[in-house]
Amino acid sequence: MTLLDDLAATRDGRLLSPDRNLAMELVRATEAAAIGASSWVGRGRKEDADGAAVDAMRAFLGTVAFDGTVVIGEGEKDHAPMLFNGEGVGTGDGPACDIAVDPIDGTSLTATGRPGALSVIAVSDRGSMYDPSAVFYMDKLAAGPEARGVVDLGQSVGDNIRELARALRKPVSDVRVAVLDRPRHEGLIDEIRTAGAGTRLLSDGDVGGGIDAARRGSPIDLCMGIGGTPEGIITACAIKALGGVLQGRLAPRDEAEAKRARDAGHDLTRILGLDDLVAGDNTYFVATGVTGGELLRGVERTPDVIRTESVVLRSASGTVRRISAEHVPEKW
């Protein structure tokens, strides 16, 4: 089936798959969320920042012509009145999609005014996203296209770094590995440095770290460590478009969580690849900068204009689009 045939295929008059215009509509929602959160940058109130982003994103998603189901949202319905898991979003017309949202990836970054916070939406065909509910955390490894067939969670940290350095044609001492700065990663950080590589410690921003490791021209070569399973699936949608590598292995926090996962049929030793996390090759990833970082500029506010920068990634074409926008405050 050709791309045009795919776009023309319908069920009850609706597109079966997300079409190329959908991402351009979704970017309005991430722009809105980033602008909503920007009023709270540096004010130390991450709940207020997140709430403003959720409200703005939810309002704009309601205008998008698609039949979306939130697979990864702000939590269960009883705890999150907006963008809860299982909620239907969009007008109900158009393609049927799974949708993952993170109105702010980096609420602590936003609250403290540090760089790297993003507003994020990922979309794929209905039923294609891995269900992240069994285990909240997973051990992850992300890298760019050169790492395909080279790095693997089954290898040691040192072997992954040495093999990646060889693929990148650079000395191990020039390899930079992004890791969330958490007590659980003290051993991992020691292993990275013992292997001879350098670290880039992230205070927050699990999604941004994985994307930075996969995109061309980034100072980050590899992203490793335990982070959120939902964030892993969102990142997978982006890395599919970038042609990189993402692997994950469920990392239960305790034996009770491990037992629930095994009872649900999960193999805790299994290494999950990109196609396990998001099936197929029809994903979109849309992000707008909240606070400026290496991936995107943050929201810039003046009395006359609000400036945003966004990125739109599409796996079917491998397209990366950057969108700079100026919003008139009174009209926005």
Side-chain angles (χ1 to χ4, degrees), residues 24-65:
M24 305 306 290
E25 286 294 303
L26 293 172
V27 78
R28 296 168 57 242
T30 57
E31 287 174 344
I35 292 171
S38 67
S39 298
W40 297 97
V41 170
R43 295 175 61 183
R45 294 162 63 177
K46 65 180 183 179
E47 292 83 4
D48 290 321
D50 193 48
V54 170
D55 289 345
M57 181 177 283
R58 182 68 183 84
F60 274 77
L61 279 176
T63 70
V64 177

Side-chain angles (χ1 to χ4, degrees), residues 149-205:
V150 172
V151 298
D152 194 285
L153 272 177
Q155 297 180 156
S156 70
V157 171
D159 284 346
N160 276 320
I161 289 172
R162 286 184 287 272
E163 292 298 323
L164 180 60
R166 188 175 295 112
L168 294 173
R169 299 180 181 179
K170 61 166 59 175
V172 168
S173 58
D174 287 348
V175 173
R176 291 294 173 267
V177 184
V179 183
L180 280 173
D181 190 6
R182 300 289 188 272
R184 64 178 179 265
H185 289 148
E186 289 179 359
L188 172 61
I189 292 168
D190 286 343
E191 287 187 76
I192 293 167
R193 292 172 177 170
T194 298
T199 55
R200 177 71 65 88
L201 299 184
L202 308 174
S203 59
D204 207 346

Side-chain angles (χ1 to χ4, degrees), residues 22 25-30 32-33 53-70 82-83 87-94 99 101 121:
L22 178 59
E25 286 294 303
L26 293 172
V27 78
R28 296 168 57 242
T30 57
V54 170
D55 289 345
M57 181 177 283
R58 182 68 183 84
F60 274 77
L61 279 176
T63 70
V64 177
F66 76 135
D67 178 13
T69 298
V70 177
M82 297 297 232
L83 295 176
E87 180 181 2
V89 294
T91 64
D93 300 316
I99 179 169
V101 300
I121 295 175

Side-chain angles (χ1 to χ4, degrees), residues 93-319:
D93 300 316
C97 306
D98 284 350
I99 179 169
V101 300
D102 198 346
I104 306 180
D105 175 49
T107 53
S108 295
L109 300 177
T110 303
T112 56
R114 287 179 289 178
L118 305 171
S119 176
V120 172
I121 295 175
V123 173
S124 63
D125 294 329
R126 175 67 51 80
S128 61
M129 285 188 184
Y130 182 83
D131 180 0
S133 60
V135 178
F136 187 77
Y137 285 111
M138 65 165 44
D139 192 10
K140 289 178 280 191
L141 177 155
E146 298 86 353
R148 296 176 69 176
V150 172
V151 298
D152 194 285
L153 272 177
Q155 297 180 156
S156 70
V157 171
D159 284 346
N160 276 320
I161 289 172
R162 286 184 287 272
E163 292 298 323
L164 180 60
R166 188 175 295 112
L168 294 173
R169 299 180 181 179
K170 61 166 59 175
V172 168
S173 58
D174 287 348
V175 173
R176 291 294 173 267
V177 184
V179 183
L180 280 173
D181 190 6
R182 300 289 188 272
R184 64 178 179 265
H185 289 148
E186 289 179 359
L188 172 61
I189 292 168
D190 286 343
E191 287 187 76
I192 293 167
R193 292 172 177 170
T194 298
T199 55
R200 177 71 65 88
L201 299 184
L202 308 174
S203 59
D204 207 346
D206 201 4
V207 173
I211 293 171
D212 276 337
R215 68 185 180 90
R216 292 177 174 84
S218 170
I220 303 300
D221 301 303
L222 185 63
C223 185
M224 302 182 75
I226 295 173
T229 304
E231 287 82 359
I233 294 148
I234 293 172
T235 307
C237 290
I239 291 182
K240 279 214 164 187
L242 295 170
V245 175
L246 179 67
Q247 293 182 348
R249 183 168 48 208
L250 297 177
R253 289 168 286 186
D254 51 38
E255 181 52 37
E257 190 175 50
K259 183 178 185 304
R260 287 195 299 271
R262 287 193 293 267
D263 289 346
H266 292 280
D267 180 356
L268 299 180
T269 66
R270 181 186 176 195
I271 295 174
L272 302 167
L274 274 175
D275 287 335
D276 298 309
L277 298 172
V278 184
D281 188 29
N282 195 32
T283 67
Y284 291 94
F285 174 89
V286 180
T288 301
V290 178
T291 60
E294 291 176 352
L295 180 62
L296 293 166
R297 295 197 307 271
V299 177
E300 301 171 2
R301 305 181 73 114
T302 72
D304 300 320
V305 68
I306 302 171
R307 295 184 177 88
T308 59
E309 185 180 35
S310 305
V311 64
V312 176
L313 310 177
R314 183 175 182 235
S315 68
S317 62
T319 305

Side-chain angles (χ1 to χ4, degrees), residues 69-72 75 84-88:
T69 298
V70 177
V71 174
I72 299 170
F84 56 84
N85 295 346
E87 180 181 2

